[in-house]
Amino acid sequence: MEFTCKDFKVGKCEREKLVHGETMPLVLQLPTDGKNDMESLLEALGRNKEWFEEMIIKNSAVLLRGFDVTSAEEFNDIVEIKEFPKKVILFCEVPPPAGGETPFVPSFRVTERMLEEFPEFVEELDKKGLRYTFTALSNDDKSSMRGRGWQDAFGTSDPAEAERRAKALGMDVEWLPNGGVKTILGPRSLTRVFDGRKGRRMWFNTLVGMQGKELSSATMADGSEIPEKIVRRCEEIIEEESIQFKWEKGDVLFLDNYALLHGRRPSLPPRRGLVATCK
């Protein structure tokens, strides 16, 4: 790999992968003779904004490791460099004793493999589009990771404002007799191609996460059902293509949200991580 930035050196992490010639995640550290404090890191990022953006797009995931970033307040200093649109940034303040990995998947690989196994289905669904249905409860259900109340989902306790925000996102809204709300979104693309990413067809959807769940579903936009065996096979492919590493204290991970799917593994406490998105 050609590496031309004198402010960083390439490191290694356990279970990184080489995907079509690109290392995921690309681990960046300061040179051995450089300082690893927050001020030095911010200065290095400031001098190399365009280059750093290129690395995120090229490798899809960039892990800053070995820097003295120890608190949420210092993480906020990094996040405030808002030069990287459509990115997800994760910070590990307290790594869990076991589990808690953040698996991420090169989404073009999911498209490639789904096309190999189900070419007619992929093309049909991409042409028709997806329709998502999600029910937000009247109140939060703390016993369920998916049991968000509509107040939490839309960030307001005002039904009229919640409906306005839902419609601004392209959702149709149906208020339910039990006080919850049903939202319908679609048609949405199955795959997308984004500029600067080698013309790759990204698996840009939440089919696996929405289909067949207690409070959500996914169908073709015309209402046609999606075969369960295809959804389950897609889930297997995503798992097979996933990349993950054990978090270390102070790690900062930048993900290209156009190019990657990501999730979270269960973990033992204690665990504290922060996430931010750059629009």
Side-chain angles (χ1 to χ4, degrees):
M1 172 187 131
E2 184 179 355
F3 196 79
T4 58
C5 181
K6 65 179 182 180
D7 286 314
F8 293 95
K9 68 176 183 179
V10 177
K12 289 278 189 182
C13 77
E14 182 183 5
R15 291 185 283 184
E16 66 183 35
K17 283 187 180 181
L18 193 66
V19 181
H20 287 212
E22 298 159 4
T23 303
M24 297 186 189
L26 173 66
V27 180
L28 295 181
Q29 302 171 317
L30 285 176
T32 306
D33 58 352
K35 297 180 180 179
N36 71 341
D37 59 277
M38 172 56 62
E39 183 178 355
S40 299
L41 172 57
L42 292 175
E43 289 176 353
L45 289 173
R47 285 192 297 268
N48 299 279
K49 290 179 182 178
E50 292 184 3
W51 174 85
F52 191 67
E53 167 73 6
E54 290 174 1
M55 292 299 99
I56 295 174
I57 293 177
K58 179 179 182 297
N59 294 81
S60 299
V62 175
L63 174 63
L64 301 179
R65 172 164 283 182
F67 300 99
D68 191 17
V69 183
T70 59
S71 69
E73 289 75 17
E74 291 185 322
F75 172 67
N76 288 335
D77 290 339
I78 295 177
V79 173
E80 288 183 4
I81 301 177
K82 301 181 186 294
E83 307 297 332
F84 317 119
K86 308 302 181 184
K87 303 295 183 291
V88 176
I89 310 172
L90 300 106
F91 167 64
C92 178
E93 185 173 10
V94 179
E101 297 89 352
T102 301
F104 56 89
V105 182
S107 59
F108 77 93
R109 285 291 299 141
V110 182
T111 304
E112 288 178 344
R113 293 188 58 183
M114 288 294 287
L115 281 169
E116 289 171 2
E117 297 189 30
F118 310 103
E120 294 181 359
F121 166 79
V122 171
E123 298 299 356
E124 179 187 10
L125 185 49
D126 219 3
K127 183 178 180 180
K128 290 182 176 179
L130 281 160
R131 182 173 68 184
Y132 302 115
T133 300
F134 177 75
T135 299
L137 305 175
S138 57
N139 294 290
D140 289 346
D141 179 359
K142 302 299 184 182
S143 67
S144 170
M145 289 184 65
R146 302 182 65 85
R148 299 177 69 187
W150 63 264
Q151 297 93 335
D152 181 43
F154 295 110
T156 179
S157 59
D158 181 355
E161 178 62 17
E163 189 165 337
R164 187 193 69 78
R165 294 181 182 184
K167 290 184 175 180
L169 296 171
M171 298 177 177
D172 291 328
V173 174
E174 176 186 343
W175 291 96
L176 304 175
N178 63 6
V181 61
K182 179 180 179 180
T183 61
I184 301 172
L185 178 65
R188 307 290 284 185
S189 300
L190 181 73
T191 68
R192 291 187 62 178
V193 177
F194 296 101
D195 291 340
R197 289 157 180 84
K198 301 184 178 181
R200 288 169 170 168
R201 197 170 165 185
M202 305 300 184
W203 192 256
F204 203 71
N205 63 79
T206 56
L207 171 61
V208 169
M210 295 286 283
Q211 171 60 3
K213 302 301 190 292
E214 180 183 359
L215 298 172
S216 66
S217 66
T219 65
M220 293 190 185
D222 64 1
S224 303
E225 294 295 326
I226 299 172
E228 180 68 18
K229 68 175 183 179
I230 293 181
V231 178
R232 296 286 72 82
R233 179 56 186 145
C234 182
E235 186 174 22
E236 292 172 356
I237 289 172
I238 289 173
E239 183 64 33
E240 291 165 5
E241 293 291 334
S242 69
I243 302 165
Q244 63 183 29
F245 58 88
K246 185 175 178 59
W247 283 103
E248 294 183 6
K249 182 179 177 63
D251 279 351
V252 181
L253 178 65
F254 288 76
L255 301 178
D256 181 352
N257 204 38
Y258 283 165
L260 298 175
L261 306 170
H262 74 278
R264 187 185 75 177
R265 305 288 190 199
S267 66
L268 296 177
R271 177 185 189 273
R272 178 170 166 78
L274 299 178
V275 62
T277 58
C278 294
K279 298 181 180 180

